[in-house]
Amino acid sequence: MTPWPHLTRQHLHIALWGVLPYLALAVLVAGSAWRYRYDRFGFTTRSSQLHESRLLKIGGPLFHYALFLVAGGHVMGLLVPEWLTRRLGVGEEQYHAVALTMGGASGIAMVTGLGLLLYRRLRVPAVRGATSRSDRLTLPLLSLVLLAGLTATASSVTRPYDYRLGVAVWFRSLFTLDPDVTAMAHAPLVYRLHALLALALFALWPFGRLVHAFAAPLAYAARPYVVYRSRGGAPVR
């Protein structure tokens, strides 16, 4: 028996789960900095509300509100270790029941909102014409990420997998610069596929409309009052 197949598989796991995450992070940071430096006014969604607003009023809020719930669920599941939730009095069955119901409902709402936005983009000629080349790659990739995540959530019903003892351990190990490659390599295929698609999405993030997530108008809440003056009266706040 030659050791080459084993070495090749081991090297592949190291490349995927030990090197690729840092490459995707480097592209995300460097690409966002480059985009802000040379295309500062491009930090926008390129809103197409003037072309069509009925579907946008439904799909936009549904997608974005569900996105916040999904992101919060990922933060809880990946960053909060299992021993901490147990110490707080949350049993494993309770945790997974909440994660399954809330995560599944949020994922379905997010997919529904994205589906409405994609239907709108394909159905309305003006919106379809405003679709950039990066959108044609980013939007299908985003759809695949969501579908893979929903599939992983649904698969836990028939094939239970405690991702907090596998995927979450690998994810937290990235912050210590000592990736636990084995923890991710032994995860079910759908979880690995979901992670790889997410890494690809993060790498493409700075080059499409998704970059507007870094341009939230946080300073708007603290901006000074605007003073309006009439032609003959006293200034009015």
Side-chain angles (χ1 to χ4, degrees), residues 24-41 43 202-203 205-207 211 214:
L25 177 62
V27 173
L28 174 64
V29 174
S32 300
W34 174 87
R35 181 79 180 271
Y36 184 78
R37 174 66 177 82
Y38 294 100
D39 186 23
R40 187 173 303 182
F41 292 103
F43 268 62
F202 289 141
W205 196 288
F207 309 107
V211 76
F214 300 142

Side-chain angles (χ1 to χ4, degrees), residues 110 185 196:
M110 192 173 174
L196 288 176

Side-chain angles (χ1 to χ4, degrees), residues 201-219:
L201 182 65
F202 289 141
L204 290 175
W205 196 288
F207 309 107
R209 69 177 61 244
L210 295 180
V211 76
H212 79 276
F214 300 142
L218 300 179

Side-chain angles (χ1 to χ4, degrees), residues 36-187:
Y36 184 78
R37 174 66 177 82
Y38 294 100
D39 186 23
R40 187 173 303 182
F41 292 103
F43 268 62
T44 175
T45 58
R46 296 187 179 92
S47 176
S48 56
Q49 184 176 2
L50 293 176
H51 301 307
E52 197 279 337
S53 61
R54 183 174 61 88
L55 291 174
L56 183 63
K57 289 180 179 179
I58 302 174
L62 183 61
F63 172 79
H64 286 90
Y65 288 136
L67 173 62
F68 288 128
L69 294 176
V70 170
H74 279 70
V75 170
M76 286 291 297
L78 296 177
L79 295 182
V80 178
E82 187 176 6
W83 62 264
L84 181 57
T85 55
R86 287 184 176 179
R87 182 170 296 182
L88 294 176
V90 180
E92 195 61 25
E93 293 184 359
Q94 294 175 327
Y95 178 88
H96 282 287
V98 173
L100 181 62
T101 54
M102 294 295 295
S106 302
I108 292 174
M110 192 173 174
V111 169
T112 304
L114 181 61
L116 288 174
L117 295 176
L118 292 177
Y119 172 79
R120 170 181 176 271
R121 187 164 294 276
L122 294 173
R123 186 70 175 176
V124 181
V127 180
R128 185 172 64 249
T131 304
S132 64
R133 293 180 179 179
S134 62
D135 293 335
R136 293 188 178 95
L137 182 61
T138 303
L139 295 177
L141 182 58
L142 177 59
S143 303
L144 291 176
V145 172
L146 296 180
L147 291 177
L150 270 180
T151 304
T153 301
S155 66
S156 64
V157 178
T158 56
R159 294 183 177 181
Y161 169 70
D162 193 351
Y163 64 89
R164 293 202 294 169
L165 298 179
V167 178
V169 173
W170 163 78
F171 184 79
R172 291 196 300 271
S173 70
L174 295 175
F175 295 94
T176 64
L177 303 182
D178 186 19
D180 191 341
V181 175
T182 304
M184 191 62 185
H186 291 163

